[in-house]
Amino acid sequence: QPPKDAHDEL
Amino acid sequence: MNIFRLVGDMSHLLAIIILLMKMWKSRSVAGISGKSQILFAIVFTTRYLDLFTSFVSIYNTSMKVFFIGTSYVTVYFIYQHFKPTYDSNHDTFRVEFLIVPVGGLAFLVNHEFSLLEILWTFSIYLESVAILPQLFMVSKTGEAESITSHYLFALGSYRALYLLNWIYRYYFEGFFDLIAVVAGCVQTILYCDFFYLYITKVLKGKKISLPA
């Protein structure tokens, strides 16, 4: 499962 | 958002602008690896597929659009607009030796076995080695224009700053993404030789020549 707030980075 | 990630994103933005300005002002792509720029276009395309499905912020969306757009403009400049100045004889890195292993690794090691997540993981792994054709080209030509060195310094700094961002987020937000951190370390380590030369040479007005 992707980490919490997945891929909120560029 | 934290200062490390913001400065990192600005450094990334600066690198892309430096590169485009170098091409546009000098009307030349000499010394620039088209293969690395193609890899960056693939990195952004596979990473930002969620551009229309998940909204994080205006900043996030606008930066994604900018990165995707400029990466294709850069590839267009190299292979179409300024093609006569493209030095293909020195841009000979076998990118299939990067894409295939990275593709396989993304398929095997990821957070979730879904198409979007595997493509995101592929993008993270690919970005960590995408600069290799460019560094290889600089070592083959034996030197880099100072503007290209500034481009590489800004580009390498962006992911180094992201490492600090991940340390910050681990301690203050409990956020940790092993895949991004490991790939970010590999990516930053690949620049170390260049960082050393940049700080010891370029900042003293000399030209860079690899291997040192």
Side-chain angles (χ1 to χ4, degrees), chain B residues 123-197:
Chain B
S123 160
I124 291 289
Y125 294 154
L126 184 62
E127 187 190 5
S128 64
V129 293
I131 201 60
L132 281 176
Q134 179 67 65
L135 296 178
F136 181 75
M137 183 174 191
V138 172
S139 68
K140 274 195 84 173
T141 52
E143 65 169 13
E145 288 175 43
S146 60
I147 190 72
T148 307
S149 305
H150 298 318
Y151 159 70
L152 286 170
F153 182 74
L155 193 61
S157 304
Y158 127 74
R159 213 61 179 173
L161 286 160
Y162 257 68
L163 295 178
L164 300 179
N165 151 65
W166 287 319
I167 293 169
Y168 175 93
R169 294 192 74 182
Y170 179 72
Y171 284 113
F172 292 96
E173 299 171 26
F175 172 89
F176 182 67
D177 183 343
L178 184 63
I179 285 177
V181 169
V182 171
C185 289
V186 169
Q187 183 167 339
T188 304
I189 287 168
L190 290 178
Y191 281 86
C192 283
D193 177 27
F194 170 78
F195 280 149
Y196 171 75
L197 288 167

Side-chain angles (χ1 to χ4, degrees), chain B residues 3 12 27 40 44 50 53 59 71 77 92 97 101 113 116 118 133 136 145 152 165 167 171 174 177 183 188 205 207:
Chain B
I3 186 64
H12 196 181
R27 318 290 296 162
F40 285 127
F44 293 133
D50 63 352
T53 56
Y59 170 80
S71 67
F77 274 175
T92 55
F97 290 167
F113 197 76
L116 266 182
I118 287 175
F136 181 75
E145 288 175 43
L152 286 170
N165 151 65
I167 293 169
Y171 284 113
D177 183 343
T188 304
K207 268 204 172 219

Side-chain angles (χ1 to χ4, degrees), chain A residues 1-5 7-10, chain B residues 60 111-112 117 120 165-166 169 175:
Chain A
Q1 190 59 30
K4 152 170 96 70
D5 55 31
H7 315 329
D8 62 345
E9 297 179 339
L10 289 173
Chain B
N60 187 273
H111 289 310
E112 179 193 349
E117 192 60 26
W120 176 86
N165 151 65
W166 287 319
R169 294 192 74 182
F175 172 89

